Amino acid sequence: MTTTAHGRFTSLLLDLATHEAEVTRVEEVGAGLRLVSIAGDGLRAAAWEPGDVVQVIVVGEALLGPWEIRSYTPLALDPATGTAQILWHVHGNGPGSDWAASAVEGTPCRVVGPRRGVRLPASHGALVLFGDETSFSTAVAVHRARDARVVLEVESVEESRAVLGGWFGLVDVVLVAREPGDAHLAEVERAVLAAQGGGVDVAPVLTGKASSVQRLHRALRGAGVQGRRISGVPYWAPGKKGLKGR
Ligand SMILES: Cc1cc2nc3c(=O)[nH]c(=O)nc-3n(C[C@H](O)[C@H](O)[C@H](O)COP(=O)(O)OP(=O)(O)OC[C@H]3O[C@@H](n4cnc5c(N)ncnc54)[C@H](O)[C@@H]3O)c2cc1C
């Protein structure tokens, strides 16, 4: 198969694997944070659990390539209307961020999923969720459904508190401000271990920046938490594009 034919074949498969959707609402909820509602028939009657992701084609027409696809975690998905609400971190460094920055009511898109994002323990026991601004949507979804202790590394504690509390009622959350050289991760580590509280039934779910996920994974293992109990899903890593989470 020639490269062009291969590209067309891949695009055809992509077209078959995705469904049409449309932006129905965009709200600026804080600096670099947009709440984007996407509706489509393919999201109707979808089996969705908090923490599951949808993927959005943020560059390209499915049949014409080239294209780029990015992963996002709805904070809610209403199967009756086929509407997913995603809290989008507009960081300004990639096409996914650009797509959300320019999305308006009526913007068409193609989506895949939902599919499993983070692995939540099957039991209804407590869990510790770690992440950053890319995890706000996950945090809201999981906190609404489960006994979740949330620890987040953020650019601004005040602005994050205003968004999470003011818009989503998520007030019971530990926010730690980033410092140069990741000096703040010592405090994050203490907060996650304190939230874990030595509880064997408390399941850690680590999301956000890959290097922070790795460091907390090591810290939890060092504190005696079994590796198989830890769900670690890097959402992004400097210099890498389009992480999928598995
Ligand atoms: C399972 C899963 C669920 C996710 N859920 C959400 C969600 O609900 N909301 C959300 O906002 N994001 C979420 N993300 C993260 C999002 O998919 C990534 O941030 C993705 O890289 C964004 O694509 P992009 O095109 O903007 O940047 P890319 O083209 O992927 O990357 C371009 C450059 O931007 C950098 N970059 C990517 N993310 C950031 C960031 N946060 N801060 C600074 N630089 C960055 C990359 O390191 C790279 O250098 C999720 C990721 C995964 C894997």
Side-chain angles (χ1 to χ4, degrees), residues 108-191:
C109 61
R110 297 192 74 87
V111 297
V112 186
R115 66 161 176 80
R116 174 71 67 83
V118 294
R119 178 168 50 86
L120 301 184
S123 74
H124 287 276
L127 54 91
V128 176
L129 177 77
F130 165 74
D132 60 17
E133 288 87 350
T134 60
S135 320
F136 280 15
S137 213
T138 310
V140 172
V142 170
H143 193 265
R144 282 177 179 172
R146 303 286 292 260
D147 174 10
R149 304 161 192 179
V150 179
V151 179
L152 301 167
E153 58 171 328
V154 295
E155 209 50 40
S156 163
V157 168
E158 292 72 28
E159 283 178 22
S160 301
R161 200 173 291 292
V163 169
L164 292 170
W167 280 79
F168 306 104
L170 179 48
V171 288
D172 186 15
V173 50
V174 178
L175 299 170
V176 181
R178 283 189 193 92
E179 286 172 22
D182 277 347
H184 66 288
L185 286 183
E187 189 184 340
V188 168
E189 212 174 284
R190 281 194 295 276

Side-chain angles (χ1 to χ4, degrees), residues 51 53 58 68 70-74 86-91 93-98 115-118 132-138 233-246:
V53 296
V58 293
E68 296 283 346
R70 297 289 182 266
S71 302
Y72 296 93
T73 313
I86 297 167
L87 189 45
W88 216 290
H89 178 40
V90 182
H91 55 79
N93 299 323
S97 171
D98 294 346
R115 66 161 176 80
R116 174 71 67 83
V118 294
D132 60 17
E133 288 87 350
T134 60
S135 320
F136 280 15
S137 213
T138 310
V233 183
Y235 278 8
W236 68 281
K240 295 201 173 161
K241 61 175 202 167
L243 295 192
K244 292 187 174 59
R246 59 173 189 173

Side-chain angles (χ1 to χ4, degrees), residues 172-237:
D172 186 15
V173 50
V174 178
L175 299 170
V176 181
R178 283 189 193 92
E179 286 172 22
D182 277 347
H184 66 288
L185 286 183
E187 189 184 340
V188 168
E189 212 174 284
R190 281 194 295 276
V192 167
L193 292 175
Q196 182 70 22
V200 284
D201 295 333
V202 182
V205 178
L206 309 175
T207 67
K209 191 177 179 184
S211 52
S212 302
V213 168
Q214 265 174 4
R215 173 155 169 181
L216 288 167
H217 196 284
R218 272 198 305 275
L220 285 158
R221 295 284 288 123
V225 179
Q226 288 178 316
R228 64 182 174 80
R229 290 195 59 78
I230 306 170
S231 174
V233 183
Y235 278 8
W236 68 281

